């Protein structure tokens, strides 16, 4: 263990105590490492400097860390891959950052019962690949799935593209092992498909963002392998028309495996990158829908949904005939992040992007898109909105210059204005990214007072000293 | 209000106070009514005599009841249709039975967002019919769905036949309105498909059996109408062979819309009632599987699953070719309860039946069936086992003479032995019926001590006086 000279002297006893129960290379104390682990992928929001970053490899080591920190009254901030977008993994000053990334083993794949047991640091894509080798599928596919961890997915209640058909992370969590604030082990849930023995403690920890305990193991339900998808791309003259197509698809009883919307700005950005299906008349279309189906009768389903798009005044509809054409269609959605990166290169100064996450009842989707366009104009910001239309869950992305205090202020105000719009339309401030530090004040606007009080009571019950990821979810 | 002369005098002030905030006909105080409301459909387990049964019609009236009872220190036992099978709705002596059956309105059907908002007393079949008129489907189908209520379904975490494809009640609950122990209103959840704003309080109340609060409104997700089903019936020479067929169906990645098992005793009982597909060689077969599919390619799926049954040494497989033949196949499963009733008529004395509810990992299904057969022999009991094989969830039914103390003792011991077998096989004491009074001691065997302590802490947090359905779930 090498204690950095930059560590404040008061942390020496903490480091010594932690080191007594951890491998020599499990403590990171250098300035750069502590800075790196001070925040997740949220571009603003409070973040402190950890006293130390620890990288335990076993449940016992996690217990040691939690107990040691508690004995010294030091906060513990659990972290996965720090891909979160709400600041839920941001450090607080002097805390122990408890990184779970070294606990990355798939412990068991039970094909007969379609479940997997794993440690929290497994990367989501690695888990998906591991079970795929057994003909099984772990569907949740958050955008960061190639780098984010299962523990983080569970802690934030992550979603993704295929949720519209296959549900969110929460729907797959059968049971958890959690290290509680007092270092004790809590086991929740079961290995059976169904079970109602006692209160549902498993769900209490899903989405709790490390504030109630540290998830050290998960038992997850799996599904049979997904059949191949077919997809279509439809272009519309207005968000309202695209919204009407989404509503018609839902009304007709379809269950697409993806139902994604890109607004005017996003469509233009992807078109500017040269996507062949959008390049020919970039700028004319005001919204793009991407619809996929992996149903056994996908060609018929897609043909019907194409018809509904045309009835909703689509300017054009391109239906993929095979896997290669489907990849081409889905590439348009995958190009959103590269398109934003390209946009960032155009920004002078220090480009940053925040990605919002509001969800509204499906029939308010077009209203939300229009409202976000107004907000972009009002605050003089570049806002590109894409998202999971089938779930009413949108991700407006703002690219701004963080070296410009005025731009930062406008971006922050727009962030708030978008949440306000979501709530006004009967929605929620977060569909799948979580509350973290960025939305904790807004949680108080969304939740009724009695609900919020119960949330606080539960936090107090499980973490009476308030040392587990303090300041996240609840202010 | 007419106060029965049979009411104990100490309850007069309770009745007066309750009556002050309820319609005149909302208090039942007669002996017969109080006896009727003293227990649910569980054939044994402790049950007391309520002081009064109240039938509020509004949320405010429920609040009045809860507050009044609390002020007087009187327990409140919420009830729906009393179809529960674990004694969760059993009265305690001197309590107020709070029946929600008059709060039976469907408040809103939102087709665009595929959701329904309703009061707790709506009968499940009525709700399903109401949304079906809008081309929508509320899938959960507990056996008692024609009489049980949505509030009871939520409070117990009810399941059903189609859960193997469509999930359980919990999966459909988007939000709840709950009257808490102090009479305050708690609103949880959302109207959006996704949402992760704060801890999941909705799930905390699902399956809490009225011990944490009184559910007075629910927002439920709906699905598109289900397509028509096709079904097959396969007969096997042993439970092990049937279990192997189930495992093969799961391994092959099928998602049947029902996957039901009937053991040797159940098969014989249904055969004895004259089901045409079983009548020809009643007694020879040791297990029957019923498999349904409502997939767009149902005929191909069924043909494949029929092949898997044959590979698992099925004695015969009958694949329905149309809706009429499918009804014939599914009738075999529907005849289980009539078959048990017929059996009850053969029992001298006072026939009673208990229906168990254990779930095991799917690959332990055959082992559980065999173990239950041994238990039947060991205790000299008639046990007919049927259940949701696709979920590993079985319902052994014991028909016995409750006027025979020895038979009652043996039945109770067998009830325990079946739960022990479920736990030994890595399962749970309850898949979908709940804990109630019958399984509360067993909950302590299933759950680790720390989990149980947290359950008790949560109960104390929400009901510090312990007046909400005392003695249920937790001892």
């Amino acid at each position: 263990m090498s204690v950095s000279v930059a560590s404040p002297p008061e942390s020496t006893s903490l480091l010594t105590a932690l080191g007594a129960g951890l491998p020599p290379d499990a403590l990171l104390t250098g300035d750069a490492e502590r800075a790196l682990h001070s925040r997740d992928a949220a571009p603003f929001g409070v973040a402190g400097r950890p006293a130390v970053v620890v990288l335990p490899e076993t449940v016992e080591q996690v217990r040691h860390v939690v107990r040691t920190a508690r004995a010294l009254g030091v906060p513990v901030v659990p972290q996965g891959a720090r891909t979160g977008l709400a600041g839920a993994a941001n450090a607080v000053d002097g805390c122990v950052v408890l990184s779970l990334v070294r606990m990355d083993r798939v412990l068991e794949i039970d094909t007969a019962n379609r479940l997997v047991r794993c440690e929290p640091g497994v990367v989501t894509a690695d888990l998906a690949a591991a079970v795929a080798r057994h003909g099984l599928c772990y569907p949740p596919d958050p955008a960061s799935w190639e780098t984010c961890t299962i523990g983080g997915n569970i802690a934030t209640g992550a979603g993704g593209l295929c949720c519209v058909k296959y549900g969110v992370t929460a729907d797959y969590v059968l049971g958890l092992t959690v290290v509680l604030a007092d270092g004790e082990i809590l086991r929740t849930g079961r290995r059976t498909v169904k079970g109602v023995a006692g209160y549902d403690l498993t769900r209490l920890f899903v989405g709790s963002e490390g504030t109630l305990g540290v998830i050290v193991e998960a038992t997850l339900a799996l599904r049979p392998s997904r059949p191949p998808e077919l997809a279509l791309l439809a272009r519309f003259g207005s968000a309202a028309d695209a919204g009407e197509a989404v509503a018609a698809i839902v009304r007709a009883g379809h269950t697409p495996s993806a139902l994604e919307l890109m607004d005017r700005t996003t469509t233009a950005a992807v078109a500017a990158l040269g996507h062949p299906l959008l390049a020919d008349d970039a700028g004319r279309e005001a919204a793009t829908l991407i619809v996929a189906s992996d149903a056994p009768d996908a060609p018929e389903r897609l043909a019907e949904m194409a018809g509904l798009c045309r009835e909703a005044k689509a300017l054009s509809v391109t239906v993929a005939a095979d896997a290669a054409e489907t990849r081409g269609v889905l590439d348009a959605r995958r190009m959103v992040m590269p398109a934003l990166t390209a946009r960032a290169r155009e920004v002078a100064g220090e480009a940053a992007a925040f990605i919002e996450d509001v969800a509204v009842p499906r029939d308010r989707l077009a209203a939300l898109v229009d409202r976000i366009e107004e907000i972009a104009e009002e605050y003089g910001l570049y806002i590109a909105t894409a998202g999971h239309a089938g779930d009413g869950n949108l991700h407006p992305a703002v690219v701004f210059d963080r070296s410009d205090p005025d731009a930062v202020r406008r971006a922050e105000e727009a962030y708030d204005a978008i949440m306000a719009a979501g709530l006004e339309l009967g929605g929620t401030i977060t569909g799948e990214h979580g509350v973290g530090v960025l939305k904790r004040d807004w949680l108080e606007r969304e939740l009724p007072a009695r609900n919020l009080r119960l949330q606080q009571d539960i936090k107090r019950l499980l973490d009476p000293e308030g040392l587990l990821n303090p300041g996240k979810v609840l202010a």
Side-chain angles (χ1 to χ4, degrees), chain A:
Chain A
M1 190 186 88
S2 71
V3 177
S4 158
V5 291
S7 294
E10 68 269 27
S11 69
T12 311
S13 63
L14 171 66
L15 298 182
T16 307
L18 287 171
L22 289 169
D25 65 344
L27 279 86
L28 307 179
T29 55
D31 277 357
E33 287 288 8
R34 291 188 294 132
L36 179 69
H37 289 82
S38 68
R39 51 167 68 245
D40 64 18
F44 45 77
V46 292
R49 182 61 61 96
V52 58
V53 178
V54 295
L55 295 152
E57 291 169 25
T58 67
V59 173
E60 275 312 308
Q61 289 173 13
V62 172
R63 299 181 72 183
H64 166 72
V65 170
V66 169
R67 284 174 172 155
T68 302
R70 189 190 193 207
L72 296 171
V74 174
V76 172
V77 175
Q79 278 185 358
R82 299 191 311 282
T83 52
L85 291 166
N90 285 7
V92 296
D93 277 330
C95 77
V96 174
V97 160
L98 175 50
S99 170
L100 282 312
V101 294
R102 287 193 187 166
M103 293 178 65
D104 62 351
R105 287 179 303 162
V106 176
L107 300 169
E108 179 193 0
I109 297 173
D110 180 341
T111 53
N113 296 301
R114 282 187 195 157
L115 59 83
V116 60
R117 204 162 49 82
C118 69
E119 293 183 328
V122 182
V123 169
T124 308
D126 292 345
L127 184 88
V131 303
R133 286 192 287 273
H134 295 266
L136 293 167
C137 170
Y138 176 72
D141 56 352
S144 58
W145 78 299
E146 289 182 316
T147 50
C148 63
T149 64
I150 287 293
N153 292 176
I154 297 169
T156 55
L161 259 73
C162 74
C163 301
V164 63
K165 176 164 183 177
Y166 292 103
V168 294
T169 300
D171 298 317
Y172 291 86
V173 185
L174 290 175
L176 294 172
T177 304
V178 178
V179 172
L180 296 173
D182 57 9
E184 283 194 51
I185 296 283
L186 174 74
R187 290 200 168 78
T188 75
R190 56 185 202 271
R191 288 174 69 93
T192 53
V193 181
K194 289 158 148 180
V196 289
Y199 307 138
D200 190 344
L201 300 183
T202 305
R203 277 292 183 117
L204 194 56
F205 285 90
V206 176
S208 67
E209 301 185 1
T211 62
L212 302 180
V214 182
I215 296 165
V216 291
E217 190 183 305
T219 302
L220 304 167
L222 303 172
R223 294 182 56 96
S225 289
R226 286 179 59 187
E229 280 182 321
L230 281 180
L232 68 80
L233 185 147
R235 297 186 294 177
F236 296 86
S238 72
D241 289 349
E244 177 45 37
V246 170
I249 287 168
V250 170
R251 270 200 309 270
H254 293 286
T255 309
S257 50
L259 181 45
E260 296 287 310
L261 175 79
M262 307 193 303
D263 76 340
R264 181 197 312 273
T265 306
T266 309
T267 301
V270 172
L273 271 200
H275 191 282
L277 293 176
L278 297 172
D280 61 336
D281 57 354
R284 186 161 75 83
E285 55 287 303
T288 305
L289 272 191
I290 291 167
V291 190
S293 172
D294 61 7
D297 55 347
E300 293 77 19
R301 288 282 171 168
L302 271 192
E304 284 175 35
M305 293 191 277
L308 295 172
C309 287
R310 287 187 197 101
E311 281 171 31
K313 296 187 275 181
L315 304 176
S316 72
V317 183
T318 306
V319 183
D322 56 27
E325 288 183 21
T326 293
R327 271 195 300 280
V329 167
L330 297 178
D331 271 348
R333 180 66 177 87
R334 292 200 190 95
M335 283 168 72
V336 171
M337 284 309 293
L340 290 178
T341 307
R343 169 74 196 182
R345 276 194 295 269
E346 295 167 19
V347 172
E350 191 191 342
F354 75 72
I355 299 175
E356 250 287 12
D357 167 51
V358 287
V360 293
R362 271 181 289 230
D363 61 344
R364 311 313 300 276
L365 194 70
L368 180 62
V369 172
D370 288 345
R371 184 71 194 100
I372 293 167
E373 279 199 14
E374 287 168 22
I375 290 167
E377 201 154 322
E378 201 174 324
Y379 292 93
L381 287 167
Y382 176 91
I383 307 187
T385 299
H388 317 306
D391 293 325
N393 183 199
L394 293 184
H395 297 307
V398 181
V399 181
F400 62 101
D401 176 5
R402 74 186 312 164
S403 69
D404 171 1
D406 185 61
V408 172
R409 180 191 55 75
R410 284 181 286 124
E412 288 181 350
E413 285 177 11
Y415 192 80
D416 285 355
I418 292 168
M419 280 187 282
L423 290 181
E424 271 161 38
L425 293 167
T428 174
I429 57 167
T430 173
E432 56 183 20
H433 290 176
V435 176
V437 293
L438 285 185
K439 299 189 168 187
R440 63 189 181 190
D441 295 337
W442 279 86
L443 192 70
E444 299 180 14
R445 301 208 207 177
E446 174 163 342
L447 298 183
R450 189 63 186 83
N451 181 308
L452 202 65
R453 206 168 89 218
L454 181 51
Q455 306 249 353
Q456 286 157 341
D457 287 345
I458 286 173
K459 167 69 176 174
R460 210 170 294 119
L461 177 64
L462 277 149
D463 180 22
E465 282 95 1
L467 294 176
L468 283 179
N469 210 8
K472 314 303 164 55
V473 185
L474 302 167

